[in-house]
Each structure stands twice: as C-alpha cells, then as structure tokens.
Amino acid sequence: MKKIINDPLKVVEESLQGLLYANGDLYEKVPDACGIISKERNGKTAIVSGGGSGHEPMLSGLVGKGMLTGAAVGNVFASPDPYTIKETIKAADQGKGVLCLIWNYAGDTMNFDVAEDLASMEGVKVSHVIVNDDIASAPKEDKKGRRGVAGILFVAKAAGAAAELGYSLEEVKEAAERANEHVRTIGIAITPCSIPGNPPNFELGEEEYEYGMGIHGEPGISRESLVSADELTEKMIGDLKEEFGDLKGREAVLLVNGMAATTDLELYIINKKACELLKEAGVILYDNIVGKYCTSLEMAGASVSLFILDEELKRLYDQPACTRCYTQKYGKDG
Amino acid sequence: MKKIINDPLKVVEESLQGLLYANGDLYEKVPDACGIISKERNGKTAIVSGGGSGHEPMLSGLVGKGMLTGAAVGNVFASPDPYTIKETIKAADQGKGVLCLIWNYAGDTMNFDVAEDLASMEGVKVSHVIVNDDIASAPKEDKKGRRGVAGILFVAKAAGAAAELGYSLEEVKEAAERANEHVRTIGIAITPCSIPGNPPNFELGEEEYEYGMGIHGEPGISRESLVSADELTEKMIGDLKEEFGDLKGREAVLLVNGMAATTDLELYIINKKACELLKEAGVILYDNIVGKYCTSLEMAGASVSLFILDEELKRLYDQPACTRCYTQKYGKDG
C-alpha cells in the first residue's frame, strides 16, 4: 500500500510535530512524552484520553475547550505506553484531579491502569471511565466486553462540559458514565486499511462488505454481498434501535462517521436514510453530525452512532465546546 | 469500485438532502434548483460559487457567515447547469448584487456566463472572478489558463470578509481578484478516483505517483516513482516558491489539503516539512490549515496551497467566518 510518509517507524513522531506546527494556538506538547495538552487550562477537573494513532482526527482532535484537556498518543493502532499516559495525566492536572476516558481495548485499559497507579503515586487524584459503544463487538448482555469507537465523542463532550461547569472529579466521572450508557455505535467497511510499512490488514472481495468491522480491522459480525446504502443504513439503524428499545418521543444526536476513503457524498446518503428512519421511529433529532471523526487509516466505510439524551445530558451537550473535531459542526454552541 | 450508494444517478440529489437534514441551522435549499444558500443573509453583497460534486466539503462547505452566500451544486465532476446557477444567484441576492467565484473549467465558466446573463435580465447586478490557482495546469505566463482548485478557500474568505465589511459589489470583486492573485496550489495523487457507477478514471502503478494531478484526475506534469514525503514536499514547496519569487519576510497562510483517502497522519507529515521549508525561506507563517477541504472523491493524494498576505488581505483574513469548512481551524477568528 502506497503512503505519503518518510520512515514507517517515524510516522507518529513526525505527524505530531506537523500537528503542533498547525495548532500552536490550541495545543502544547507534553514535555518528554508523545502527548498533547490544551492551552485552555483553567483550574478545573481535567480530562485525558489516548490511544493508538490512525483514527485521526480522534483522539487529539477532541482536545480543547469543553472536551479533553489532553491526549496521549500511541503508535499506529497501538496503545501509548504507561509512561506517556502518566506524563499526559500529570501535565493535564490542575489540582482538581484527572478523569481518563479509555477506549475498551486490552492494551489501552492495561496501560492506563498502570499509568493511573503511577500518577497516583506522584500525588495526582485520578479515575477513569471505559468507553464501550461498539455494539458489534459483544452481545448486549456483555456491554463491558464491547470495544470503544466513535461514541467517545459524546462521552468527551459530556465530561468536558461537566468539568467546565465546575463539577468535581467524581461528578465528571458520573457525567461520562451516563454519556457512555446512552451511546451506541455500529460500523461497516468496504475496503481494508494498512499500517504504514505493512500489507492490508485483511481482504475483502470486490463485491463484499464487512458488517460490524472494528476500527483496527477487527472482524465484524458477518461478511456479506454489498447492498444499497439504504439497505445498509436500515440494518445499522435497526440494530441501534434494538439496543435502546422504544425510542418514540426521545431526543437523540445522530453521528454519521466516515472511516476515511468514503466520500462525504456517501456519508450524506447514509445520513438521509438514517434521519428518515429515526423520524419514522418517533425519535426527535436534537442534533446531527456528519463527517470524519473516528477513522481507520485509509479504510472505506462508515459508522453510525446514536446518543440518546436525557435532561442532564442535554444540558451538558448544550455547553460550548471548541476543538478541531467538534467545531466542524455548529450545533447548539454557535 | 465499491461505493455506499443507492442509484449512481441519484447520488447528488440524495446526498444534498442528507446535507440539508444535518445542517438545517446553516442552510436552505434554493427553491426548485440544486443549490444551497446560507441562512445568514444580511443585506450585503452576496457571493455565489458552484461546481461539480465530488470535492466535498467544497464548495457547499464554504457557505456561511463571512464566506459564500450560496453554492450551485452540479453532478459529480460536472458543472451545474445555467438554470441552477441563475436560481442560486437570485436566491442569494439581497439587492446589493452578487459576485460569482468560478473555478476555471470550461463547463463552469460557460454555464456561469449564461447564468449571469439570465440573472441580469431578471434585474440582478452580477459579476464574477475566475479562480485559477493550480500551477500544474498551465505555465506561469498563462495564469488565465490555469484550473481552480483548493485555493478558492482564500478567495472566498477574502470576498466574504469584504462583503461583511459592507463593501460594494465592485469592491468585493477587487478583494476576490487580489486574493486570487496571491494564492497558488500544487497537488499530487497516489491513487485514482472513480465517478459512481464507473471504473477508476485513470490508472497508476503500484510504485507511481502523479505530480500536478487535477482534482478530477486530469493528467499532471509528470508520472514518477513514489519518493518520500519529504522529497515530495520539497518539490511542491520549491515550485510554489518559484511562482512568487523572494518570499523572505513575507507573511503567508499554508494550506495542506487531503484529496480523501490520505490520512491526517500523512497530511501532518507533509505539513511538518512544508512549514520547515517555508521558515527556512524566511516566510512568516501567519496561519496554517491542515485537513480535507477540496477532495477528489476517494483519491489518495494531497495538495499544498500558499496564500501570500498583504495588509489588505491580512485585514480580510482576520475577519470572523463560520462555515462547515473553515471553522475546522480556529485561527485568527477565535
């Protein structure tokens, strides 16, 4: 697979430098570690996330006012090491403690666990919420076994808003848990991706798609013949509705996320059908986000996330936020 | 080529509906025509652009406060017809006249020409500026023969700011012309794209790239063996510098634009080298934008644009803007 890179082993390091050049007004580098922190640090509860690279603009794109305070940056599709995470936690802390938002993958949960212990030993009050919104990765009864994907956008939004409102670490954690309980995601892929310097990480036939594909190319629920966008969307929305039960009269935010190579034209076709199906089911669309937020290198595909609001989540969602990722959509923050 | 679509002939129509669902707070549809207009219409000189689809988020993504008032939407890689453009012009007009910003392609310039005549006959004062920033498409001496690509971002920014400041149609046109004179772009492709329902629109070998590729897959200057990101960037920045002559001490905005499938990781690697080369040349980077602004369906590749500022352009660049496309980067606008 052709890539526009120099050395496959220096992709993340060089890219991070390019990111910092472009966004020096928003971010600082964590001293001596591969992480970034927001310049917007205001003495409140801090929020840190992190994970492997290759999902840009996530997670670094969520750093900024009203969302994450910092992000630890791992190699492509690999968790950041405990030292990197610990240094990011320390850099983000403003004396009120740090909540970590962790995508549910073995490497990430393990490394964050060690990092939190290390940070605690250095006097930082730290806690975490594990994000597990991908309904394809484990059955409903095993929610804790599910992977984390694009839905982290809403968890970071709720936690960030809670922090801005002056909530304590425990209260920010409650807000993040509440958001995580209220968001579900399902994705599809029509082409694979490849880690720089490596062959594609799986193969798909010319007429096939993978239903429930993970964001690192983890196998999904089934491999099927590609059908129309409307049929794909019906299947995805049907499975999301199944998770929540009766949604009539409920307010929700719909996120249609592109994996990378899929064009905005395709994403908006999915969005059209998804909106229509949700309206038919009586869902009140409070907001609707379409774009590339949680990608999988150059994979073609998409995911659909549904974030169901209650009064508290709606209040948090309405708070201003200003990050590279989220301010693509001027919703309630205008 | 697999796509997530329904009917290849309905891609643009369905996608536009999905776009309007997601952005009902920002846009209205032009009545009875395939175009969108900003809800932010404030009695000032209006600005309309338009062109074929497949370059999303452009051009619709430039519609909003401080940039375009409206965009006429053509089929994939095909100019909107004169009726569509004329209706978009009429819908955008607020009595102060309409400036059209036209990418320099035969179909677009011809259809805008007819549309402007039709709109004039219906009483709208209308004028235009043709955008031709792609240095690969014709030699320096034939600037008017060059195609328009990602640099339209800066032309729309300058024109939109001028309109917001209350400039007349003639003055807004001058601002757009000045911006167009000060921006140059060069692009590369490493994979082709394909119009929905069609095979790829060209072929590239496993180790090849095309230097100077157009955004519809038009042939570039040369086809060569793929080299490192740094070497590609040196070539692109070298050719851009050649256009402007001595840039020592000049202020500029650098835009590194992804064609679609190229990851943000790769774009930031290009950006790192581009920033370093420009700094070495004595350029003062006033702002630096990295992301997918002017795409070519699912093509992998990138373009680099350099926008040289003078006092007037800097003043215009500093004005607030709020669109889907431009507010990805929080630069001088807060």
Side-chain angles (χ1 to χ4, degrees):
Chain A
M1 297 287 281
K2 285 183 281 191
K3 307 254 178 192
I4 305 172
I5 60 173
N6 296 305
D7 178 345
L9 298 177
K10 290 192 177 162
V11 163
V12 172
E13 174 192 335
E14 293 180 352
S15 178
L16 188 65
Q17 186 58 63
L19 176 79
L20 289 164
Y21 283 159
N23 298 283
D25 50 337
L26 296 176
Y27 312 135
E28 289 170 17
K29 190 172 172 300
V30 175
D32 301 321
C34 199
I36 61 166
I37 45 170
S38 176
K39 285 200 169 172
E40 179 89 21
R41 298 197 298 280
N42 48 14
K44 300 190 172 164
T45 302
I47 303 161
V48 161
S49 190
S53 294
H55 308 297
E56 288 68 25
M58 282 191 185
L59 291 156
S60 66
L62 297 177
V63 172
K65 183 179 162 59
M67 296 184 89
L68 303 181
T69 319
V73 177
N75 264 320
V76 176
F77 289 2
S79 173
D81 61 68
Y83 173 82
T84 299
I85 299 169
K86 186 257 288 179
E87 289 298 307
T88 306
I89 289 171
K90 278 175 61 188
D93 183 40
Q94 297 149 66
K96 296 277 174 62
V98 179
L99 180 72
C100 296
L101 301 180
I102 313 169
W103 264 333
N104 192 24
Y105 298 95
D108 289 311
T109 54
M110 189 176 68
N111 288 351
F112 265 91
D113 202 41
V114 176
E116 287 173 44
D117 285 348
L118 295 173
S120 292
M121 289 192 284
E122 296 188 33
V124 181
K125 198 163 75 168
V126 60
S127 186
H128 70 253
V129 170
I130 294 176
V131 177
N132 44 23
D133 56 311
D134 180 6
I135 66 170
S137 50
K140 204 168 170 177
E141 303 70 44
D142 182 24
K143 171 119 179 17
K144 286 189 175 160
R146 289 175 168 176
R147 299 184 291 250
V149 287
I152 200 168
L153 178 80
F154 300 109
V155 183
K157 179 71 186 73
E164 287 289 330
L165 290 169
Y167 287 22
S168 68
L169 176 58
E170 291 68 27
E171 290 164 334
V172 172
K173 182 177 175 175
E174 271 176 44
E177 281 172 342
R178 183 187 285 259
N180 184 51
E181 282 308 312
H182 283 73
V183 64
R184 300 288 189 283
T185 301
I186 179 82
I188 56 160
I190 62 171
T191 72
C193 55
S194 73
I195 296 173
N198 288 272
N201 60 356
F202 62 94
E203 284 185 17
L204 268 174
E206 247 319 297
E207 300 298 327
E208 283 182 329
Y209 81 101
E210 180 99 9
Y211 187 74
M213 173 71 63
I215 59 171
H216 311 90
E218 297 95 336
I221 298 169
S222 61
R223 183 165 291 197
E224 300 173 33
S225 289
L226 189 58
V227 291
S228 72
D230 282 357
E231 287 169 278
L232 286 174
T233 307
E234 271 170 24
K235 196 167 159 72
M236 290 192 282
I237 293 292
D239 284 347
L240 289 173
K241 273 167 50 191
E242 174 69 29
E243 286 282 318
F244 290 110
D246 187 15
L247 286 173
K248 199 165 156 52
R250 297 297 300 271
E251 290 182 299
V253 184
L254 168 67
L255 165 63
V256 175
N257 169 63
M259 293 300 186
T262 295
T263 62
D264 287 5
L265 288 172
E266 290 159 277
L267 297 181
Y268 281 116
I269 290 173
I270 295 170
N271 190 59
K272 170 181 180 289
K273 187 67 179 177
C275 286
E276 289 166 359
L277 290 167
L278 290 170
K279 281 174 200 160
E280 273 169 38
V283 177
I284 299 156
L285 282 177
Y286 189 72
D287 200 6
N288 179 199
I289 306 172
V290 182
K292 284 155 195 163
Y293 293 88
C294 177
T295 61
S296 183
L297 293 170
E298 74 278 24
M299 185 188 281
S303 68
V304 178
S305 301
L306 202 54
F307 180 46
I308 306 296
L309 298 171
D310 58 19
E311 281 312 303
E312 172 67 358
L313 290 173
K314 197 165 142 180
R315 176 165 172 259
L316 296 170
Y317 191 78
D318 280 350
Q319 299 303 312
C322 168
T323 71
R324 277 196 305 125
C325 210
Y326 187 67
T327 45
Q328 285 190 19
K329 172 81 176 79
Y330 265 63
K332 309 297 164 185
D333 325 329
Chain B
M1 294 289 278
K2 285 184 282 193
K3 308 255 178 190
I4 305 172
I5 60 172
N6 296 306
D7 177 345
L9 298 178
K10 288 190 177 163
V11 162
V12 172
E13 174 191 336
E14 293 181 351
S15 178
L16 187 65
Q17 186 57 62
L19 176 79
L20 289 164
Y21 283 159
N23 298 283
D25 50 335
L26 296 177
Y27 311 136
E28 289 171 17
K29 188 170 174 300
V30 174
D32 301 321
C34 199
I36 61 167
I37 45 170
S38 176
K39 284 200 168 172
E40 179 91 19
R41 299 196 299 278
N42 49 14
K44 300 187 172 166
T45 302
I47 303 160
V48 161
S49 190
S53 294
H55 309 296
E56 288 68 26
M58 284 192 184
L59 292 158
S60 66
L62 297 178
V63 172
K65 182 178 163 58
M67 295 183 89
L68 302 181
T69 319
V73 177
N75 264 320
V76 176
F77 289 2
S79 173
D81 61 67
Y83 173 81
T84 299
I85 300 169
K86 185 258 286 178
E87 290 298 308
T88 307
I89 290 171
K90 277 175 63 188
D93 183 41
Q94 297 148 66
K96 297 276 175 62
V98 179
L99 180 71
C100 296
L101 302 180
I102 313 169
W103 264 335
N104 192 25
Y105 298 95
D108 289 311
T109 53
M110 190 175 68
N111 288 352
F112 265 92
D113 202 43
V114 176
E116 288 174 44
D117 285 349
L118 294 172
S120 292
M121 288 192 285
E122 296 188 33
V124 181
K125 199 163 77 169
V126 58
S127 188
H128 70 253
V129 169
I130 293 176
V131 177
N132 44 24
D133 55 313
D134 180 7
I135 66 170
S137 51
K140 204 168 171 175
E141 304 69 42
D142 182 25
K143 170 114 177 27
K144 286 189 176 161
R146 289 175 168 176
R147 299 185 290 249
V149 287
I152 199 169
L153 178 80
F154 300 109
V155 183
K157 180 72 187 74
E164 287 290 329
L165 290 169
Y167 288 21
S168 68
L169 176 59
E170 291 68 27
E171 290 165 334
V172 172
K173 182 177 176 173
E174 273 176 42
E177 281 172 340
R178 183 187 286 258
N180 184 52
E181 281 308 312
H182 283 73
V183 64
R184 300 287 190 283
T185 301
I186 179 84
I188 55 159
I190 62 171
T191 72
C193 54
S194 74
I195 294 173
N198 289 272
N201 61 356
F202 61 93
E203 284 183 18
L204 267 174
E206 247 320 297
E207 300 297 327
E208 284 181 329
Y209 81 100
E210 180 100 9
Y211 188 74
M213 172 73 60
I215 59 172
H216 310 89
E218 296 94 336
I221 296 168
S222 59
R223 183 165 292 198
E224 300 174 33
S225 290
L226 188 59
V227 291
S228 72
D230 282 359
E231 287 168 280
L232 285 175
T233 307
E234 270 170 26
K235 195 168 158 74
M236 290 192 282
I237 293 292
D239 283 348
L240 288 172
K241 275 166 49 191
E242 173 70 28
E243 285 283 317
F244 290 109
D246 187 15
L247 286 174
K248 200 166 158 46
R250 295 297 300 271
E251 289 182 300
V253 184
L254 168 67
L255 165 64
V256 175
N257 169 63
M259 293 300 185
T262 295
T263 62
D264 286 6
L265 288 171
E266 291 159 277
L267 298 181
Y268 282 116
I269 290 173
I270 296 170
N271 191 59
K272 171 181 179 291
K273 187 67 180 179
C275 286
E276 289 166 359
L277 291 167
L278 289 170
K279 282 173 200 162
E280 274 169 39
V283 175
I284 299 156
L285 281 178
Y286 189 72
D287 199 7
N288 179 198
I289 305 170
V290 181
K292 285 156 192 161
Y293 293 88
C294 178
T295 62
S296 181
L297 293 170
E298 74 279 23
M299 184 188 281
S303 68
V304 178
S305 301
L306 202 54
F307 180 47
I308 307 296
L309 298 170
D310 59 18
E311 281 312 302
E312 171 69 358
L313 290 174
K314 196 166 143 181
R315 177 165 172 260
L316 295 171
Y317 191 77
D318 279 351
Q319 298 303 311
C322 169
T323 70
R324 278 195 305 127
C325 209
Y326 187 67
T327 43
Q328 285 190 20
K329 172 80 177 82
Y330 265 63
K332 308 298 164 185
D333 325 330

